[in-house]
Amino acid sequence: MQAEQLRLAGTEQNIAIARSSLYPSLSFSAGLGSNYYKTSGFPADAFGKQLKNNFSQYLGVNLSVPIFNRFSVRNNIRSAKIDRENQQLALDNTKKQLYKEIQTAYYNTVTAQQKLKSSEEARRNSETAFRLTKAKYEVGKATSTEFNEARNNYLRSESDLTQARYEYLYQTALIQFYRGKSLHL
């Protein structure tokens, strides 16, 4: 979000830069120079003397007043404004995407909470069933297959409960992150 907002602020600067071409510009220049030449067949001064005698310097001032530039400045300003509108749309799109992600995280948290509650209930029920089957098995009223099945159901419900706990912790941490709070693991 911050990156998109900074890009939008940058497009405002681009509009200002495009508008600056409407104003006159003043520039200064300065320079130093010298040269050496030799014409064949004619005597020439020594190299050092020619550099000294041909030494030149200049100062320049240039004022440029834009009168008509074939609408290029107008088109550049319009293009910069279109870029700003495109960036505003990108920012709005990013906001909507973030809202969608937060909404999805919220619903996932609610679902994880419900799954945790149902997993706790399933574990309690499978534990009760396992204890009853174990008691039946010990007195010879249940087969080893029934005992193993009850034990496997109990272990599966324990595993599902552990998984539901961690899923709920993850989803609540994600919600806290979206709220701007730091994560503590």
Side-chain angles (χ1 to χ4, degrees):
M1 288 289 294
Q2 289 176 344
E4 292 295 332
Q5 289 171 342
L6 289 174
R7 287 185 192 105
L8 182 61
T11 59
E12 295 292 337
Q13 295 299 318
N14 289 341
I15 292 172
I17 290 170
R19 282 190 178 137
S20 70
S21 297
L22 294 172
Y23 303 116
S25 62
L26 182 64
S27 61
F28 298 97
S29 61
L32 299 173
S34 183
N35 61 15
Y36 169 78
Y37 62 91
K38 182 174 180 171
T39 310
S40 40
F42 295 98
D45 289 336
F47 178 76
K49 189 173 184 184
Q50 277 197 32
L51 287 179
K52 182 179 174 187
N53 290 341
N54 294 334
F55 182 73
S56 64
Q57 62 266 359
Y58 68 92
L59 292 175
V61 177
N62 182 25
L63 176 64
S64 175
V65 179
I67 296 174
F68 181 70
N69 50 20
R70 295 174 289 172
F71 301 112
S72 66
V73 173
R74 180 196 68 177
N75 292 338
N76 289 343
I77 292 171
R78 286 180 179 174
S79 177
K81 286 180 179 180
I82 289 171
D83 288 343
R84 178 187 59 195
E85 290 173 9
N86 286 338
Q87 189 57 47
Q88 181 64 46
L89 291 174
L91 176 63
D92 292 343
N93 190 28
T94 302
K95 285 179 181 179
K96 288 177 184 176
Q97 184 67 28
L98 180 62
Y99 178 76
K100 180 181 172 186
E101 288 177 15
I102 292 171
Q103 198 172 30
T104 301
Y106 171 76
Y107 289 130
N108 287 343
T109 303
V110 170
T111 303
Q113 185 179 24
Q114 293 301 321
K115 185 178 178 183
L116 179 62
K117 287 178 183 177
S118 66
S119 294
E120 288 171 345
E121 183 67 29
R123 189 196 59 80
R124 276 193 299 275
N125 291 339
S126 64
E127 181 182 17
T128 303
F130 174 65
R131 279 188 292 140
L132 291 174
T133 305
K134 183 178 178 185
K136 284 171 131 183
Y137 179 73
E138 288 173 353
V139 295
K141 298 286 185 181
T143 64
S144 62
T145 305
E146 291 172 337
F147 175 75
N148 284 336
E149 187 177 325
R151 185 181 61 181
N152 288 340
N153 288 340
Y154 174 63
L155 293 175
R156 189 178 310 115
S157 67
E158 282 284 337
S159 175
D160 290 345
L161 177 61
T162 303
Q163 184 178 2
R165 281 183 185 149
Y166 283 111
E167 179 67 23
Y168 179 69
L169 287 174
Y170 170 75
Q171 292 299 332
T172 54
L174 188 60
I175 288 291
Q176 295 302 322
F177 171 75
Y178 281 131
R179 286 183 175 171
K181 296 179 181 176
S182 61
L183 297 177
H184 300 287
L185 301 175

